[in-house]
Amino acid sequence: MTSFSVPTRRRTHWVDITAPVRKAVRELGVASGAVTVFVPHTTAGITINEHADPDVATDLEGVFDRLVPWEGPYRHAEGNTAAHAKASLVGSSARVPVEDGDLRLGTWQGVFLCEFDGPRTRQVWVTP
Ligand code: ZN
């Protein structure tokens, strides 16, 4: 396994982590197969979506914020139930194919860390 840190800057912030995931694949020495990209957090997630136009990620941040309002009624005393809900909607990992030692993504696809309770520094684990 290898890992890296991702600083986030807003409460809801999708960060394109395609480049550091590519670097992790090289560090792991995976030639072909797939890697799992995973966040060990309960208020952040991992997803794959368009990264050619950064407005897509910005729009999706807004979609998730409208889908799950920050204000409840919720019971969780920490006050961040919306972030937990959004993390479960996107999921905590993505499996990405690897070919010739590099990620095999679609033309428009990138890997995103989806922050829902930032700003803070998140860990991303990459495993073969
Ligand atoms: Zn919480």
Side-chain angles (χ1 to χ4, degrees):
M1 186 186 88
T2 189
S3 65
F4 56 88
S5 300
V6 181
T8 65
R9 295 191 307 274
R10 301 185 295 277
R11 177 185 280 170
T12 301
H13 185 192
W14 288 29
V15 182
D16 184 350
I17 58 168
T18 310
V21 171
R22 286 206 142 98
K23 184 167 170 277
V25 170
R26 290 196 297 273
E27 282 173 17
L28 287 168
V30 178
S32 73
V35 291
T36 299
V37 183
F38 175 88
V39 280
H41 303 293
T42 60
T43 55
I46 295 286
T47 197
I48 294 173
N49 213 303
E50 171 163 350
H51 75 155
D53 177 2
D55 283 345
V56 173
T58 305
D59 283 346
L60 292 177
E61 291 171 2
V63 167
F64 274 75
D65 285 346
R66 291 191 295 278
L67 201 59
V68 185
W70 189 258
E71 300 298 332
Y74 304 124
R75 292 176 59 90
H76 178 44
E78 194 185 10
N80 62 352
T81 293
H84 289 290
K86 288 182 263 192
S88 276
L89 287 171
V90 300
S92 56
S93 68
R95 187 95 174 134
V96 190
V98 172
E99 200 171 80
D100 299 325
D102 194 13
L103 296 177
R104 182 104 162 92
L105 288 162
T107 305
W108 309 111
Q109 285 181 319
V111 185
F112 289 86
L113 177 134
C114 306
E115 173 65 78
F116 295 116
D117 196 16
R120 58 171 92 189
T121 299
R122 299 299 195 168
Q123 297 303 309
V124 177
W125 297 353
V126 183
T127 62

